[in-house]
PDB file of all heavy atoms in Angstrom:
ATOM      1  N   GLN A   1      99.642 109.261 130.000  1.00  0.00           N
ATOM      2  CA  GLN A   1     100.308 108.512 131.060  1.00  0.00           C
ATOM      3  C   GLN A   1      99.480 108.604 132.322  1.00  0.00           C
ATOM      4  O   GLN A   1      99.281 109.707 132.869  1.00  0.00           O
ATOM      5  CB  GLN A   1     101.718 109.040 131.304  1.00  0.00           C
ATOM      6  CG  GLN A   1     102.520 108.186 132.268  1.00  0.00           C
ATOM      7  CD  GLN A   1     103.996 108.518 132.244  1.00  0.00           C
ATOM      8  OE1 GLN A   1     104.420 109.582 131.781  1.00  0.00           O
ATOM      9  NE2 GLN A   1     104.813 107.602 132.714  1.00  0.00           N
ATOM     10  N   ALA A   2      99.002 107.464 132.758  1.00  0.00           N
ATOM     11  CA  ALA A   2      98.252 107.378 134.008  1.00  0.00           C
ATOM     12  C   ALA A   2      99.216 107.093 135.155  1.00  0.00           C
ATOM     13  O   ALA A   2     100.316 106.569 134.933  1.00  0.00           O
ATOM     14  CB  ALA A   2      97.206 106.274 133.895  1.00  0.00           C
ATOM     15  N   PRO A   3      98.834 107.417 136.379  1.00  0.00           N
ATOM     16  CA  PRO A   3      99.719 107.178 137.520  1.00  0.00           C
ATOM     17  C   PRO A   3     100.143 105.713 137.603  1.00  0.00           C
ATOM     18  O   PRO A   3      99.310 104.811 137.519  1.00  0.00           O
ATOM     19  CB  PRO A   3      98.854 107.573 138.716  1.00  0.00           C
ATOM     20  CG  PRO A   3      97.893 108.554 138.176  1.00  0.00           C
ATOM     21  CD  PRO A   3      97.591 108.097 136.777  1.00  0.00           C
ATOM     22  N   GLY A   4     101.445 105.495 137.721  1.00  0.00           N
ATOM     23  CA  GLY A   4     101.973 104.155 137.861  1.00  0.00           C
ATOM     24  C   GLY A   4     102.027 103.351 136.579  1.00  0.00           C
ATOM     25  O   GLY A   4     102.361 102.168 136.605  1.00  0.00           O
ATOM     26  N   LYS A   5     101.697 103.985 135.461  1.00  0.00           N
ATOM     27  CA  LYS A   5     101.707 103.281 134.177  1.00  0.00           C
ATOM     28  C   LYS A   5     102.664 103.950 133.200  1.00  0.00           C
ATOM     29  O   LYS A   5     103.037 105.106 133.361  1.00  0.00           O
ATOM     30  CB  LYS A   5     100.298 103.236 133.587  1.00  0.00           C
ATOM     31  CG  LYS A   5      99.302 102.420 134.406  1.00  0.00           C
ATOM     32  CD  LYS A   5      97.982 102.293 133.687  1.00  0.00           C
ATOM     33  CE  LYS A   5      97.001 101.434 134.463  1.00  0.00           C
ATOM     34  NZ  LYS A   5      95.709 101.284 133.747  1.00  0.00           N
ATOM     35  N   GLN A   6     103.020 103.206 132.164  1.00  0.00           N
ATOM     36  CA  GLN A   6     103.887 103.751 131.136  1.00  0.00           C
ATOM     37  C   GLN A   6     103.096 104.672 130.208  1.00  0.00           C
ATOM     38  O   GLN A   6     101.877 104.519 130.042  1.00  0.00           O
ATOM     39  CB  GLN A   6     104.513 102.615 130.317  1.00  0.00           C
ATOM     40  CG  GLN A   6     105.560 101.817 131.070  1.00  0.00           C
ATOM     41  CD  GLN A   6     106.281 100.827 130.166  1.00  0.00           C
ATOM     42  OE1 GLN A   6     105.723 100.316 129.213  1.00  0.00           O
ATOM     43  NE2 GLN A   6     107.544 100.568 130.466  1.00  0.00           N
ATOM     44  N   ARG A   7     103.803 105.584 129.604  1.00  0.00           N
ATOM     45  CA  ARG A   7     103.182 106.450 128.610  1.00  0.00           C
ATOM     46  C   ARG A   7     102.777 105.595 127.409  1.00  0.00           C
ATOM     47  O   ARG A   7     103.538 104.735 126.957  1.00  0.00           O
ATOM     48  CB  ARG A   7     104.147 107.551 128.175  1.00  0.00           C
ATOM     49  CG  ARG A   7     103.518 108.649 127.349  1.00  0.00           C
ATOM     50  CD  ARG A   7     104.499 109.789 127.113  1.00  0.00           C
ATOM     51  NE  ARG A   7     104.859 110.459 128.363  1.00  0.00           N
ATOM     52  CZ  ARG A   7     105.559 111.588 128.415  1.00  0.00           C
ATOM     53  NH1 ARG A   7     105.953 112.187 127.293  1.00  0.00           N
ATOM     54  NH2 ARG A   7     105.867 112.131 129.585  1.00  0.00           N
ATOM     55  N   GLU A   8     101.572 105.841 126.898  1.00  0.00           N
ATOM     56  CA  GLU A   8     101.073 105.051 125.776  1.00  0.00           C
ATOM     57  C   GLU A   8     100.522 105.954 124.675  1.00  0.00           C
ATOM     58  O   GLU A   8     100.009 107.045 124.946  1.00  0.00           O
ATOM     59  CB  GLU A   8      99.961 104.092 126.239  1.00  0.00           C
ATOM     60  CG  GLU A   8      98.725 104.764 126.781  1.00  0.00           C
ATOM     61  CD  GLU A   8      97.611 103.788 127.118  1.00  0.00           C
ATOM     62  OE1 GLU A   8      97.768 102.579 126.890  1.00  0.00           O
ATOM     63  OE2 GLU A   8      96.558 104.260 127.607  1.00  0.00           O
ATOM     64  N   LEU A   9     100.631 105.460 123.453  1.00  0.00           N
ATOM     65  CA  LEU A   9     100.083 106.184 122.316  1.00  0.00           C
ATOM     66  C   LEU A   9      98.562 106.104 122.341  1.00  0.00           C
ATOM     67  O   LEU A   9      97.996 105.021 122.489  1.00  0.00           O
ATOM     68  CB  LEU A   9     100.616 105.597 121.014  1.00  0.00           C
ATOM     69  CG  LEU A   9     100.041 106.192 119.732  1.00  0.00           C
ATOM     70  CD1 LEU A   9     100.486 107.633 119.562  1.00  0.00           C
ATOM     71  CD2 LEU A   9     100.460 105.351 118.522  1.00  0.00           C
ATOM     72  N   VAL A  10      97.923 107.240 122.167  1.00  0.00           N
ATOM     73  CA  VAL A  10      96.468 107.303 122.095  1.00  0.00           C
ATOM     74  C   VAL A  10      96.018 107.376 120.638  1.00  0.00           C
ATOM     75  O   VAL A  10      95.170 106.596 120.197  1.00  0.00           O
ATOM     76  CB  VAL A  10      95.929 108.521 122.867  1.00  0.00           C
ATOM     77  CG1 VAL A  10      94.419 108.645 122.698  1.00  0.00           C
ATOM     78  CG2 VAL A  10      96.308 108.424 124.339  1.00  0.00           C
ATOM     79  N   ALA A  11      96.581 108.319 119.898  1.00  0.00           N
ATOM     80  CA  ALA A  11      96.184 108.524 118.506  1.00  0.00           C
ATOM     81  C   ALA A  11      97.272 109.304 117.788  1.00  0.00           C
ATOM     82  O   ALA A  11      98.004 110.075 118.416  1.00  0.00           O
ATOM     83  CB  ALA A  11      94.861 109.277 118.410  1.00  0.00           C
ATOM     84  N   ALA A  12      97.366 109.103 116.484  1.00  0.00           N
ATOM     85  CA  ALA A  12      98.361 109.807 115.686  1.00  0.00           C
ATOM     86  C   ALA A  12      97.761 110.166 114.332  1.00  0.00           C
ATOM     87  O   ALA A  12      96.847 109.476 113.834  1.00  0.00           O
ATOM     88  CB  ALA A  12      99.608 108.962 115.493  1.00  0.00           C
ATOM     89  N   VAL A  13      98.279 111.243 113.749  1.00  0.00           N
ATOM     90  CA  VAL A  13      97.851 111.651 112.411  1.00  0.00           C
ATOM     91  C   VAL A  13      99.091 112.046 111.616  1.00  0.00           C
ATOM     92  O   VAL A  13      99.927 112.818 112.086  1.00  0.00           O
ATOM     93  CB  VAL A  13      96.823 112.800 112.478  1.00  0.00           C
ATOM     94  CG1 VAL A  13      97.348 114.004 113.246  1.00  0.00           C
ATOM     95  CG2 VAL A  13      96.348 113.198 111.084  1.00  0.00           C
ATOM     96  N   SER A  14      99.206 111.484 110.437  1.00  0.00           N
ATOM     97  CA  SER A  14     100.375 111.753 109.597  1.00  0.00           C
ATOM     98  C   SER A  14     100.238 113.098 108.901  1.00  0.00           C
ATOM     99  O   SER A  14      99.185 113.744 108.952  1.00  0.00           O
ATOM    100  CB  SER A  14     100.533 110.646 108.565  1.00  0.00           C
ATOM    101  OG  SER A  14      99.500 110.763 107.592  1.00  0.00           O
ATOM    102  N   SER A  15     101.286 113.490 108.227  1.00  0.00           N
ATOM    103  CA  SER A  15     101.242 114.742 107.482  1.00  0.00           C
ATOM    104  C   SER A  15     100.180 114.694 106.392  1.00  0.00           C
ATOM    105  O   SER A  15      99.603 115.727 106.036  1.00  0.00           O
ATOM    106  CB  SER A  15     102.610 115.036 106.872  1.00  0.00           C
ATOM    107  OG  SER A  15     103.016 113.959 106.031  1.00  0.00           O
ATOM    108  N   GLY A  16      99.889 113.509 105.892  1.00  0.00           N
ATOM    109  CA  GLY A  16      98.876 113.355 104.856  1.00  0.00           C
ATOM    110  C   GLY A  16      97.483 113.134 105.386  1.00  0.00           C
ATOM    111  O   GLY A  16      96.531 113.008 104.601  1.00  0.00           O
ATOM    112  N   GLY A  17      97.347 113.064 106.710  1.00  0.00           N
ATOM    113  CA  GLY A  17      96.022 112.924 107.305  1.00  0.00           C
ATOM    114  C   GLY A  17      95.632 111.512 107.689  1.00  0.00           C
ATOM    115  O   GLY A  17      94.522 111.289 108.189  1.00  0.00           O
ATOM    116  N   THR A  18      96.503 110.556 107.488  1.00  0.00           N
ATOM    117  CA  THR A  18      96.205 109.186 107.908  1.00  0.00           C
ATOM    118  C   THR A  18      96.239 109.097 109.427  1.00  0.00           C
ATOM    119  O   THR A  18      97.166 109.608 110.064  1.00  0.00           O
ATOM    120  CB  THR A  18      97.225 108.204 107.321  1.00  0.00           C
ATOM    121  OG1 THR A  18      97.186 108.288 105.896  1.00  0.00           O
ATOM    122  CG2 THR A  18      96.910 106.782 107.759  1.00  0.00           C
ATOM    123  N   THR A  19      95.223 108.450 109.978  1.00  0.00           N
ATOM    124  CA  THR A  19      95.121 108.371 111.435  1.00  0.00           C
ATOM    125  C   THR A  19      95.228 106.934 111.916  1.00  0.00           C
ATOM    126  O   THR A  19      94.943 105.984 111.182  1.00  0.00           O
ATOM    127  CB  THR A  19      93.782 108.946 111.916  1.00  0.00           C
ATOM    128  OG1 THR A  19      92.710 108.218 111.299  1.00  0.00           O
ATOM    129  CG2 THR A  19      93.660 110.412 111.562  1.00  0.00           C
ATOM    130  N   ASN A  20      95.675 106.787 113.162  1.00  0.00           N
ATOM    131  CA  ASN A  20      95.596 105.496 113.819  1.00  0.00           C
ATOM    132  C   ASN A  20      95.337 105.714 115.298  1.00  0.00           C
ATOM    133  O   ASN A  20      95.683 106.768 115.855  1.00  0.00           O
ATOM    134  CB  ASN A  20      96.835 104.637 113.588  1.00  0.00           C
ATOM    135  CG  ASN A  20      98.068 105.190 114.251  1.00  0.00           C
ATOM    136  OD1 ASN A  20      98.659 106.130 113.773  1.00  0.00           O
ATOM    137  ND2 ASN A  20      98.466 104.593 115.371  1.00  0.00           N
ATOM    138  N   TYR A  21      94.706 104.739 115.919  1.00  0.00           N
ATOM    139  CA  TYR A  21      94.228 104.859 117.286  1.00  0.00           C
ATOM    140  C   TYR A  21      94.574 103.617 118.100  1.00  0.00           C
ATOM    141  O   TYR A  21      94.634 102.501 117.574  1.00  0.00           O
ATOM    142  CB  TYR A  21      92.704 105.027 117.299  1.00  0.00           C
ATOM    143  CG  TYR A  21      92.207 106.271 116.620  1.00  0.00           C
ATOM    144  CD1 TYR A  21      91.877 106.259 115.267  1.00  0.00           C
ATOM    145  CD2 TYR A  21      92.060 107.456 117.324  1.00  0.00           C
ATOM    146  CE1 TYR A  21      91.429 107.407 114.629  1.00  0.00           C
ATOM    147  CE2 TYR A  21      91.607 108.606 116.703  1.00  0.00           C
ATOM    148  CZ  TYR A  21      91.288 108.574 115.360  1.00  0.00           C
ATOM    149  OH  TYR A  21      90.833 109.716 114.738  1.00  0.00           O
ATOM    150  N   ALA A  22      94.759 103.825 119.381  1.00  0.00           N
ATOM    151  CA  ALA A  22      94.840 102.700 120.300  1.00  0.00           C
ATOM    152  C   ALA A  22      93.487 102.002 120.315  1.00  0.00           C
ATOM    153  O   ALA A  22      92.438 102.651 120.198  1.00  0.00           O
ATOM    154  CB  ALA A  22      95.194 103.193 121.698  1.00  0.00           C
ATOM    155  N   ASP A  23      93.515 100.698 120.480  1.00  0.00           N
ATOM    156  CA  ASP A  23      92.262  99.938 120.486  1.00  0.00           C
ATOM    157  C   ASP A  23      91.301 100.447 121.564  1.00  0.00           C
ATOM    158  O   ASP A  23      90.091 100.440 121.377  1.00  0.00           O
ATOM    159  CB  ASP A  23      92.545  98.454 120.705  1.00  0.00           C
ATOM    160  CG  ASP A  23      93.166  97.794 119.485  1.00  0.00           C
ATOM    161  OD1 ASP A  23      93.081  98.359 118.384  1.00  0.00           O
ATOM    162  OD2 ASP A  23      93.736  96.692 119.649  1.00  0.00           O
ATOM    163  N   SER A  24      91.863 100.897 122.663  1.00  0.00           N
ATOM    164  CA  SER A  24      91.034 101.300 123.800  1.00  0.00           C
ATOM    165  C   SER A  24      90.225 102.571 123.530  1.00  0.00           C
ATOM    166  O   SER A  24      89.276 102.849 124.268  1.00  0.00           O
ATOM    167  CB  SER A  24      91.906 101.511 125.036  1.00  0.00           C
ATOM    168  OG  SER A  24      92.888 102.499 124.790  1.00  0.00           O
ATOM    169  N   VAL A  25      90.591 103.333 122.505  1.00  0.00           N
ATOM    170  CA  VAL A  25      89.882 104.586 122.240  1.00  0.00           C
ATOM    171  C   VAL A  25      89.187 104.615 120.887  1.00  0.00           C
ATOM    172  O   VAL A  25      88.498 105.586 120.568  1.00  0.00           O
ATOM    173  CB  VAL A  25      90.825 105.806 122.355  1.00  0.00           C
ATOM    174  CG1 VAL A  25      91.555 105.804 123.694  1.00  0.00           C
ATOM    175  CG2 VAL A  25      91.815 105.854 121.201  1.00  0.00           C
ATOM    176  N   LYS A  26      89.347 103.556 120.113  1.00  0.00           N
ATOM    177  CA  LYS A  26      88.715 103.527 118.785  1.00  0.00           C
ATOM    178  C   LYS A  26      87.198 103.691 118.901  1.00  0.00           C
ATOM    179  O   LYS A  26      86.564 103.066 119.743  1.00  0.00           O
ATOM    180  CB  LYS A  26      89.033 102.212 118.079  1.00  0.00           C
ATOM    181  CG  LYS A  26      90.419 102.157 117.469  1.00  0.00           C
ATOM    182  CD  LYS A  26      90.667 100.820 116.771  1.00  0.00           C
ATOM    183  CE  LYS A  26      92.060 100.770 116.175  1.00  0.00           C
ATOM    184  NZ  LYS A  26      92.348  99.441 115.559  1.00  0.00           N
ATOM    185  N   GLY A  27      86.680 104.548 118.042  1.00  0.00           N
ATOM    186  CA  GLY A  27      85.244 104.791 118.067  1.00  0.00           C
ATOM    187  C   GLY A  27      84.809 105.840 119.070  1.00  0.00           C
ATOM    188  O   GLY A  27      83.650 106.278 119.045  1.00  0.00           O
ATOM    189  N   ARG A  28      85.713 106.252 119.948  1.00  0.00           N
ATOM    190  CA  ARG A  28      85.372 107.268 120.961  1.00  0.00           C
ATOM    191  C   ARG A  28      86.183 108.553 120.769  1.00  0.00           C
ATOM    192  O   ARG A  28      85.679 109.645 121.045  1.00  0.00           O
ATOM    193  CB  ARG A  28      85.630 106.719 122.363  1.00  0.00           C
ATOM    194  CG  ARG A  28      84.823 105.482 122.703  1.00  0.00           C
ATOM    195  CD  ARG A  28      84.971 105.115 124.182  1.00  0.00           C
ATOM    196  NE  ARG A  28      86.328 104.793 124.559  1.00  0.00           N
ATOM    197  CZ  ARG A  28      87.013 105.416 125.507  1.00  0.00           C
ATOM    198  NH1 ARG A  28      86.460 106.411 126.183  1.00  0.00           N
ATOM    199  NH2 ARG A  28      88.258 105.042 125.798  1.00  0.00           N
ATOM    200  N   PHE A  29      87.428 108.427 120.345  1.00  0.00           N
ATOM    201  CA  PHE A  29      88.317 109.579 120.190  1.00  0.00           C
ATOM    202  C   PHE A  29      88.558 109.851 118.707  1.00  0.00           C
ATOM    203  O   PHE A  29      88.603 108.927 117.897  1.00  0.00           O
ATOM    204  CB  PHE A  29      89.663 109.330 120.847  1.00  0.00           C
ATOM    205  CG  PHE A  29      89.654 109.268 122.358  1.00  0.00           C
ATOM    206  CD1 PHE A  29      88.482 109.207 123.086  1.00  0.00           C
ATOM    207  CD2 PHE A  29      90.858 109.281 123.054  1.00  0.00           C
ATOM    208  CE1 PHE A  29      88.483 109.159 124.463  1.00  0.00           C
ATOM    209  CE2 PHE A  29      90.878 109.226 124.441  1.00  0.00           C
ATOM    210  CZ  PHE A  29      89.679 109.158 125.137  1.00  0.00           C
ATOM    211  N   THR A  30      88.750 111.114 118.381  1.00  0.00           N
ATOM    212  CA  THR A  30      89.068 111.519 117.011  1.00  0.00           C
ATOM    213  C   THR A  30      90.212 112.518 117.026  1.00  0.00           C
ATOM    214  O   THR A  30      90.135 113.547 117.705  1.00  0.00           O
ATOM    215  CB  THR A  30      87.853 112.153 116.324  1.00  0.00           C
ATOM    216  OG1 THR A  30      86.762 111.235 116.318  1.00  0.00           O
ATOM    217  CG2 THR A  30      88.198 112.522 114.879  1.00  0.00           C
ATOM    218  N   ILE A  31      91.261 112.195 116.287  1.00  0.00           N
ATOM    219  CA  ILE A  31      92.384 113.115 116.149  1.00  0.00           C
ATOM    220  C   ILE A  31      92.266 113.829 114.812  1.00  0.00           C
ATOM    221  O   ILE A  31      91.855 113.242 113.810  1.00  0.00           O
ATOM    222  CB  ILE A  31      93.741 112.374 116.268  1.00  0.00           C
ATOM    223  CG1 ILE A  31      94.898 113.378 116.339  1.00  0.00           C
ATOM    224  CG2 ILE A  31      93.935 111.384 115.132  1.00  0.00           C
ATOM    225  CD1 ILE A  31      96.236 112.733 116.684  1.00  0.00           C
ATOM    226  N   SER A  32      92.625 115.105 114.809  1.00  0.00           N
ATOM    227  CA  SER A  32      92.607 115.867 113.563  1.00  0.00           C
ATOM    228  C   SER A  32      93.689 116.942 113.645  1.00  0.00           C
ATOM    229  O   SER A  32      94.192 117.251 114.732  1.00  0.00           O
ATOM    230  CB  SER A  32      91.237 116.499 113.322  1.00  0.00           C
ATOM    231  OG  SER A  32      90.893 117.384 114.369  1.00  0.00           O
ATOM    232  N   ARG A  33      94.023 117.490 112.495  1.00  0.00           N
ATOM    233  CA  ARG A  33      95.028 118.539 112.461  1.00  0.00           C
ATOM    234  C   ARG A  33      94.610 119.629 111.487  1.00  0.00           C
ATOM    235  O   ARG A  33      93.935 119.367 110.494  1.00  0.00           O
ATOM    236  CB  ARG A  33      96.402 117.976 112.065  1.00  0.00           C
ATOM    237  CG  ARG A  33      96.483 117.432 110.656  1.00  0.00           C
ATOM    238  CD  ARG A  33      97.788 116.673 110.435  1.00  0.00           C
ATOM    239  NE  ARG A  33      98.956 117.535 110.561  1.00  0.00           N
ATOM    240  CZ  ARG A  33     100.204 117.081 110.731  1.00  0.00           C
ATOM    241  NH1 ARG A  33     100.420 115.783 110.802  1.00  0.00           N
ATOM    242  NH2 ARG A  33     101.206 117.917 110.835  1.00  0.00           N
ATOM    243  N   ASP A  34      95.026 120.834 111.808  1.00  0.00           N
ATOM    244  CA  ASP A  34      94.799 121.980 110.938  1.00  0.00           C
ATOM    245  C   ASP A  34      96.176 122.586 110.661  1.00  0.00           C
ATOM    246  O   ASP A  34      96.722 123.310 111.508  1.00  0.00           O
ATOM    247  CB  ASP A  34      93.875 122.994 111.611  1.00  0.00           C
ATOM    248  CG  ASP A  34      93.495 124.151 110.708  1.00  0.00           C
ATOM    249  OD1 ASP A  34      94.253 124.442 109.775  1.00  0.00           O
ATOM    250  OD2 ASP A  34      92.451 124.769 110.948  1.00  0.00           O
TER     251      ASP A  34
END
C-alpha cells in the first residue's frame, strides 16, 4: 500500500507452490515459501 492508494496484491503462492504476480512486478519479483 502506497500513500494515498489502495492496498494491492503483489504476489501470491499457493500451498502447492503455484505463484501469481501483479503485472507491474512480473519478471522482477519472486515469491517463495519454505
Side-chain angles (χ1 to χ4, degrees):
Q1 187 166 18
K5 295 186 178 181
Q6 289 188 329
R7 191 173 295 189
E8 63 175 357
L9 176 68
V10 176
V13 56
S14 71
S15 57
T18 301
T19 58
N20 68 283
Y21 297 91
D23 287 342
S24 59
V25 307
K26 281 180 181 177
R28 300 189 298 122
F29 291 11
T30 302
I31 189 171
S32 60
R33 65 190 297 163
D34 185 335

